[in-house]
Structure formats: structure tokens, C-alpha cells
Amino acid sequence: MTRDWLAPRMADLGTNAIREILKVVGRPGMISLAGGIPAPESFPLDLIEALTRETLSRFGAGALQYEATEGFGPLREALVTYLAAAGVAAGAGEILVTSGSQGGLDAVGKVCIGRGDGVAVEAPTYLGALQAFSPYGPRYLPLATDENGALPDALAALIQRGGVKLIYLVPTFQNPTGRTLPLDRRRAIAELIRAHDVLLVEDDPYSALRYRGEALPPIKAFAPDHVAYISTLSKVFAPGLRIGFVVAPARLHQALVRVKQGVDLHTSTLGQALAAVYLDGGHLTAHLPKIIDLYRPRQAALLAALERHLPTDFSWSRPDGGMFVWGEGPEGMDMEAVYWRAVEHKTAFVPGKFFYTEPGEGLATLRLNFTMAAPEQIDRAVGILAGAIRAVAARRRGA
Amino acid sequence: MTRDWLAPRMADLGTNAIREILKVVGRPGMISLAGGIPAPESFPLDLIEALTRETLSRFGAGALQYEATEGFGPLREALVTYLAAAGVAAGAGEILVTSGSQGGLDAVGKVCIGRGDGVAVEAPTYLGALQAFSPYGPRYLPLATDENGALPDALAALIQRGGVKLIYLVPTFQNPTGRTLPLDRRRAIAELIRAHDVLLVEDDPYSALRYRGEALPPIKAFAPDHVAYISTLSKVFAPGLRIGFVVAPARLHQALVRVKQGVDLHTSTLGQALAAVYLDGGHLTAHLPKIIDLYRPRQAALLAALERHLPTDFSWSRPDGGMFVWGEGPEGMDMEAVYWRAVEHKTAFVPGKFFYTEPGEGLATLRLNFTMAAPEQIDRAVGILAGAIRAVAARRRGA
């Protein structure tokens, strides 16, 4: 007798198509514009020993011990200042430290999403949020977007229709598009969620990576009781430490703590203690400009290469920050076919269709990352990408 | 308009009664036999700087970067040897590193437990497993136990009745009882789960903490394709690093990776890298005897104090290892009343009823931890506990 050991929710997850196609990215010699990860040279590697020494001298065995689920006290205190600078007013007691922002997404999903609940997401949206939410059985409601992100009118229409349990947005330098929601849309969305008492999950991993222009306040600033604000130190310290944090409305905070306790008891104490010392010592303030100086020319190189190489029927975003540029080809262009052709020539990116919840959407789109490759490599990779696009287009015309 | 933002699963979780009653344990001057945490002096604190240096020299920026969900390669390799010594034959590719063993319990629960599925657990059982499983909506099936742990005949009867989706056991130095399942029961349970194709989750956090007697093979050794074996470095390195691991049957491994990716992407790379260096450098082998030398006299002090102070109508376990001793008073004894009285005199323990899934069970039982207090403190605490027991018994006789 063989029994089925899997719960029904596993069938809902479907196949992990993107994981399958990206398996080839690790091949030797590949130039990857596919990743979403920081450059290793952006890490404050030469600080780690000193940070460890200070952590041990300040906290002793406490840095290695079990910790409260809510988070390590000194880190929560340090995050008060960090969050205030980002436009989020929160006391230490309102901050929940999570295992990366992924841990925050999982906790919110577990607390709020019941089977069949409507979850409004930008089309396209961040894949990690879908991976966090999907096991809880949501019904995704794609939200129309333009080059400035989600359209408040589209959101209003969705809410009016009923059944929006929560909204998930990445308002600044969005993954995958790089788009940033302007101030007036932030205010309009804040107004909507307050009027209809809907919860917004505002995911903000990239706003510190701004290469030009003025910082915008988060939506959280305009609707503090209706926004679970999630961010991370992954892009400004080190992703391997898995330090994220959530500032949720008071009515959700205890429930988030409760479910996180069942998931991992708490986030690594040592990682949290190192992060506290990093923030308290002013190291982030000193180090962040170096990260920006590393990424700004890489983004410029990508935008210039797109201008130089891509066919004229392609358009792309020109974000003021973050890690991604979003491209779109003419209707009928099959970017997965382009992907396989580019990979043969050792260049990878992500076909954009994987960031949509509805099948058949975004077939002609693509996401390009610029943080992991040097400017010369980026130019070469985009040249190869353009060649693959032309080859696929020619084959299509020939067919 | 105010909407309910919580998913139905949150209502199932009920109140967190134990968290409420244990809030007082942190009060100044409290001697706590309530915890389940290692003594801070058991940590290899003086090694951490050197381990960090070696980690950075061996892995560089890789120790701070995103990592595969499955785990950091060098740690998975090091765990092959560690697991083999514990009686678990596993290749590196079969090991999933999790964020503490709690992360392993959550992943197994998410993959396997659908609403209403029967989950057999020892009565009493480990609270953290209930916290991991409960959000997935199980129906707990309490498994009768005696002083040697779960009864195979009781398990056979449960399985025969149908509806056992998975079984959860802590076979060695169980939390909360300290009990260890003898070899013949391990074989009998292995036989049962193979015959009926039922999944067993074997949670083994304590077996390295053996103060006397011979090590026993895990049930995993007798039924490798039917046991998800979960363990942790929390008790032999440092719990604050949150390093656990799962060796699951092949038919579950990919599903566990999949759900873990949605929950936290991966476990802290730095923590995993430090653990790899700790294991590879032979530090665990050198350090473990010091932990045992610290705990053995504490356990002896607790057992002697129980003998000296407790009323003769109490009995208790005499485990060969682990972190806990389990006590049981005469029927009618209300150990929560004893708890509140003992707390007034600055002594805490955990009333045993919290470890049962059925209300009304275990009212006269208690769990005592011996790792966190020095022998003299333990004797004093048990004296106070005995006084509280006598006071509650007298009040009961008087009533």
C-alpha cells in the first residue's frame, strides 16, 4: 500500500517553472542578468570580524542564546532610527524581526490569507510574495499597472467589486519592473485602504538603493493602521544574515508573533546582534554610499547597452534605483524562446511571464538585473540578448 | 467599517496559555526550572572569533550571500559525518538545513498536514511541534505512553482505526518527560510504519546529551523511507544560530525544499558556515564532553533534591540524558495552583498539562529543567516547590 503523504495545498502550488528554467544559470562562463541578488563586493566583508568582536564584547553569550520571537532588543531599538529615516514611525515594541522579508511575507500570509481569499497584486509582481502566499490558498487579483506602477482607479474598482482581503505592493523600485509609485498614487491608495479598511502589505526592500531623485514617503506614512510595512537589511548589509522586519498594524502584531513562533521560534540571534552593532556603529551610513557607487554605473551601463543594442520595437523602464530594469518587446515576441537562445550564448535573464499570476500574460516581457555584472559584461550580455531577440524574431517571420 | 483581517486558521490556534503563565518567569531573582534552554556557559563562546575568522577566510563573501534553500554545501557535507555517528545514513543531497528544528517541523507540517488530518503524538508531547503543526489544522490523536515512552500496541490500534496521516515522536530523552524509547519499541514502530506506509517525524534534539548508558539507533535507521528525521545543533553548539536539519524520505524532500523557499528562502548562510567550520574543525567533538560535564551534576542535583524534598506520593522520571525530568503527583493535585504559589517564592517550573492535547489531562504533572541552574539553586528551588505542593495539598484537604 502506498499512501499520499502530501496535503492538498501542495497540489495548488503547481510546478516551479522558473526554478526549472533558471537551473542552467549556474553554468560556467554564464553572464547572468537573471539574478536578484546583491554583488558580493557590496558586502562590508572587512567589517565582519570587528563587528563580531564588538557583538561578543557587548552581548556575550546572549548573542548565541535563544531569543524572544519578537526579535533581539538592541536590534529592535536600532531599527527605530533606521525606520524613522525611511519615513516609518514605529516604537521598538511595534517591530517584529523576521527571517528575511520572506519571513515577514510568510507570517502575514499565514495570519491573513484563508483559502479563496482575494489578494490584489501588481501585474507583474514579486515572485517571492507569491511563493509565500500561495500555500495559504489565495485567489490572486491582478492589478493593472502602467509605467508608474499600480493604478489607484484599478485598485478602487477591485475593492468595490468586493473580495479583496489584502493588497500586496512593492511601491519603490519594484521587483520586477523597477517602477516607483508617485506621491499622489501613494496618497490615493492610502485613502482607499483607510476608507475600506483593507490591509496593504507594503514591501520595501530597495528604497535605500536610490541612484538619483528624491526619496518618497512609504504608503505606511499615510495609513499607519492599514499597512504592514516589510523591509530587510539584505540589500544594505548582507542577505545571508536573513534579517527582515515588519511594522504591522497593532491588530495584527501579536498574531504575527504567534505564527512566527511556530515557524522558526525566532530569527538568528547572532545575525540580529551583528545587525544591531552594524546600525548602532554608523556602519550602514558609512557603507551605503559605496553600494550606490557600485550599482549606479552598472545601471547606467545597462540602460546605455539597451539603447545601443535592442531593436527599436522594444521599450524599457529607467528606474531611479533598485536592482532591475523591465523590458517589453512587440506583441507576439516569445521571451522564453529568446531565453533559451541567449543561454546557448552564455547569457541569462528572466522571461517576464513568470511574474504574472495569469497564464498568457507578459510573454513579450523580460527582467534584467544589473547588480551582479561589471559594465563591460553587461554591454556584452545585452548584445547577445539582442542577437537572440533578432534570431527569434526572424524565425517567427520565417514560420 | 471594520473588517476581520485574520484567516480562519488563527481561530483554531486558541489562546497561548503557557506563554501567558510563563511571563512571570523573567522576574528578577526567579530560579527557573521552567525553561528548555541550554546554559549560556555551555556555549563555545571563546571559539566564536576564531570560527568567524576561519569562516571568512574559507568562504569569503559566500558566507554573507544568498544561498540555496537546501542549505550551505559545506555544512551539508559536514552533517553527513555527524548524522552517520548518530545512526542516520544520508548523503549531503538528502539533507535539508532548516531554521532550527522548528523550521523542519513547520516544513513537514506544511507539506503533509491538511485540515482534519490525524496526527498521532505522545501524551504528553513537545509543545513546539504542536505550535508548528496546529496552523495546518490537524486533529491530534494522543498516543498512550508509559515510563518507556510511546506504546507500540497503542500506535498499532490507532493506525488500524484509520486516519493517522503522520506520527510525531521524540524517542530519546523526550521533551517534556525525559523518557527514552527502548530498542524493541523502536523496531516495532519501524515495522508498523513500513507495513502501513505511514510517515513518522522523529525529532531528535537531545540524543547527544547522554550522561550514562549506551546510545540507541534512531527509528530512522530501521525505516529510512518512512521517517523524516529532524535534529539540531542548538543543544551542542548554540541555539541562537538556528541551525536544524531534516533527512526526509525521498518522496518528501523536494516538497520540503519548495515550502521552505516560500517561508524564509534559506537559513542564515553565516550561521551555516560557522556550523560547518565548527563541525569540520572537530570542535564539536572536543566541546561536547564539557557540556555533558556541566549538565550531569545538575541532573544529579535535581534527582537528589526530588528524593530529599518531594512528598512520597510523587514519582518522577530518571532519564539517562537530555534536559528534563518529569514529575507526577497524586490524582487531584492541581499543579497550576502549585505553580502560582511557587512563583510567589521565586521558583518556576512548567505545569505538565500544557504538554497534552486533550483538556483535563496531566493536571497533576510537571516538567522540571535542570540545565539552567547551579546544583545549590536546584536544591533550593525543589525545596520551595515541595513547600508549594504541601500548601496546595493542605488547602485542598481543608476545602
Side-chain angles (χ1 to χ4, degrees), chain A residues 170-392:
Chain A
V170 184
T172 306
F173 312 142
Q174 196 225 17
N175 180 355
T177 63
R179 290 168 184 159
T180 292
L181 210 60
L183 187 60
D184 59 331
R185 293 197 188 177
R186 291 175 189 237
R187 288 189 194 275
I189 290 171
E191 189 53 45
L192 273 172
I193 58 178
R194 281 188 359 235
H196 297 274
D197 198 38
V198 177
L199 175 66
L200 167 68
V201 178
E202 180 174 28
D203 192 359
D204 188 27
Y206 305 113
S207 62
L209 301 180
R210 176 174 281 280
Y211 312 130
R212 51 192 163 267
E214 287 289 309
L216 288 169
I219 302 174
K220 174 80 172 171
F222 305 118
D225 296 336
H226 292 81
V227 175
Y229 177 89
I230 302 186
S231 188
T232 174
L233 300 181
S234 289
K235 312 303 186 282
V236 296
F237 184 19
L241 295 177
R242 313 303 305 121
I243 305 293
F245 39 97
V246 182
V247 182
R251 57 208 256 216
L252 284 185
H253 181 78
Q254 274 311 318
L256 294 171
V257 173
R258 182 88 186 269
V259 303
K260 178 179 165 60
Q261 188 175 34
V263 166
D264 64 10
L265 288 185
H266 65 86
T267 295
S268 164
T269 319
L270 181 63
Q272 292 190 69
L274 287 168
V277 168
Y278 182 68
L279 292 175
D280 285 345
H283 300 295
L284 184 142
T285 315
H287 186 70
L288 183 58
K290 298 181 203 171
I291 302 178
I292 289 173
D293 286 348
L294 178 71
Y295 291 160
R296 189 191 278 115
R298 292 183 175 194
Q299 196 213 31
L302 176 57
L303 294 174
L306 292 169
E307 196 70 56
R308 190 174 310 126
H309 297 294
L310 277 209
T312 53
D313 52 3
F314 269 70
S315 60
W316 54 91
S317 62
R318 288 167 180 81
D320 288 337
M323 297 173 57
F324 305 104
V325 167
W326 181 250
E328 184 157 7
E331 212 185 303
M333 173 63 60
D334 175 359
M335 288 308 299
E336 187 173 342
V338 173
Y339 172 83
W340 289 114
R341 185 133 196 142
V343 157
E344 279 173 32
H345 296 90
K346 305 274 185 206
T347 291
F349 63 91
V350 184
K353 67 177 179 181
F354 294 107
F355 303 103
Y356 288 84
T357 56
E358 306 303 298
E361 294 280 320
L363 299 179
T365 62
L366 74 163
R367 189 191 75 177
L368 298 166
N369 165 267
F370 53 80
T371 57
M372 277 296 278
E376 322 76 71
Q377 287 180 305
I378 289 174
D379 186 72
R380 192 149 64 86
V382 174
I384 289 168
L385 166 65
I389 288 170
R390 291 199 171 88
V392 167

Side-chain angles (χ1 to χ4, degrees), chain A residues 70 76 80 90-96 253:
Chain A
E70 288 86 344
R76 296 171 90 199
V80 170
E94 297 168 81
I95 300 168
L96 170 64
H253 181 78

Side-chain angles (χ1 to χ4, degrees), chain B residues 238-255:
Chain B
L241 296 176
R242 314 301 305 123
I243 305 293
F245 38 97
V246 181
V247 183
R251 57 206 256 215
L252 284 186
H253 180 78
Q254 274 312 318

Side-chain angles (χ1 to χ4, degrees), chain B residues 8-57:
Chain B
R9 76 179 63 82
M10 296 306 292
D12 295 349
L13 295 188
T15 59
N16 199 345
I18 187 171
R19 197 175 154 109
E20 289 308 309
I21 86 155
L22 293 182
K23 273 185 177 166
V24 299
V25 171
R27 286 188 193 158
M30 189 74 69
I31 308 178
S32 177
L33 308 180
I37 72 178
E41 60 268 39
S42 78
F43 304 151
L45 193 60
D46 51 0
L47 278 179
I48 300 297
E49 261 192 70
L51 293 178
T52 303
R53 251 194 315 277
E54 194 183 333
T55 293
L56 294 170
S57 105

